[in-house]
Amino acid sequence: MELSDIPDRLRLMRRSQADLARTLDLDPSSLTKTIKGVRRVQPAEAIEIEKFFGEKLSISVTETAPQTPRRKATPTKIPVYGYAAAGQGERIAYADSHIIDYLDPPPFWRGGDDLAYVRLVGESMEPRYFSGEIVAVRLNLPPAKGSDCLIEFTDGTAKIKTYQGQRDGRVFASQYNPDQSLSYEAATVAALHSVWKPGMI
């Protein structure tokens, strides 16, 4: 069985990707990256996948999977993303080819090169954030429930929302204007990144 076969096998078993993610103790976005081959399968995960499906994986877990380019800052400048994604409402284009500027790190930032800036599009997060405002995001740091985060989607877009948790194969969030709850299929979410605040390491 190939990793790419997993979605079809889950449908045949009438199980969800969230079920497998819980078995592997992974968040759904990490499992999606594993299935797509952009995240390496760990040996313990391979064993659990084989147990889950009752079938051997036809890959070597020691092989290095191809890695997607990471958005890294320069030593002194942080990339800014903020072009509106065509036909995607308030989503921004979140790809290295869509960097609009480089800015200095925020005051008191003591981290490395795992930070990005996002210029918001739209008014859905007012009055906390306003359209055009630039927000710092700590890449690959999972958000706590009730905290603001950048939701990165598998189609190369992203948006800032307030994270409310995950269950049953969905990612839940909320916004302020209008005040409403939102949910997205976990399979469409590539990663969740915390909005950076002073004092966050």
Side-chain angles (χ1 to χ4, degrees):
M1 181 179 72
E2 304 282 349
L3 286 172
S4 58
D5 296 330
I6 286 177
D8 290 335
R9 299 299 174 89
L10 287 169
R11 279 191 287 275
L12 289 173
M13 295 170 65
R14 297 189 177 182
R15 302 288 296 275
S16 72
Q17 198 164 301
D19 294 331
L20 179 57
R22 279 192 292 271
T23 298
L24 300 176
D25 197 25
L26 287 175
D27 63 82
S29 63
S30 293
L31 179 56
T32 298
K33 289 179 180 179
T34 303
I35 292 170
K36 291 184 175 182
V38 296
R39 174 185 174 275
R40 184 169 56 182
V41 182
Q42 301 302 310
E45 294 167 359
I47 292 168
E48 290 303 317
I49 290 171
E50 290 173 349
K51 286 181 184 176
F52 189 92
F53 292 103
E55 189 173 345
K56 280 286 201 183
L57 280 173
S58 59
I59 63 166
S60 167
V61 297
T62 60
E63 293 174 357
T64 301
Q67 298 295 312
T68 53
R70 296 312 307 157
R71 299 169 181 82
K72 296 295 187 181
T74 64
T76 58
K77 297 291 185 179
I78 307 296
V80 182
Y81 301 87
Y83 288 118
Q88 295 284 348
E90 293 188 337
R91 294 193 191 189
I92 63 160
Y94 190 64
D96 288 331
S97 59
H98 288 85
I99 293 172
I100 62 174
D101 201 358
Y102 287 89
L103 297 176
D104 291 328
F108 312 114
W109 169 247
R110 299 196 309 270
D113 55 1
D114 52 354
L115 193 74
Y117 286 119
V118 174
R119 187 180 67 187
L120 273 67
V121 174
E123 303 172 348
S124 66
M125 291 299 284
E126 292 183 2
R128 182 169 293 191
Y129 306 111
F130 293 87
S131 185
E133 184 173 349
I134 293 177
V135 176
V137 176
R138 179 73 186 268
L139 302 179
N140 303 311
L141 180 67
K145 185 175 180 180
S147 66
D148 298 329
C149 71
L150 180 76
I151 303 174
E152 179 184 356
F153 295 94
T154 55
D155 65 357
T157 65
K159 58 170 65 174
I160 297 282
K161 296 297 175 187
T162 300
Y163 177 70
Q164 299 296 350
Q166 300 180 55
R167 67 177 182 279
D168 301 325
R170 299 195 72 81
V171 175
F172 295 91
S174 62
Q175 64 179 36
Y176 296 97
N177 183 33
D179 183 6
Q180 67 182 51
S181 297
L182 308 163
S183 74
Y184 310 96
E185 289 186 21
T188 68
V189 176
L192 297 167
H193 311 286
S194 295
V195 168
W196 183 81
K197 293 178 175 58
M200 180 185 288
I201 302 303

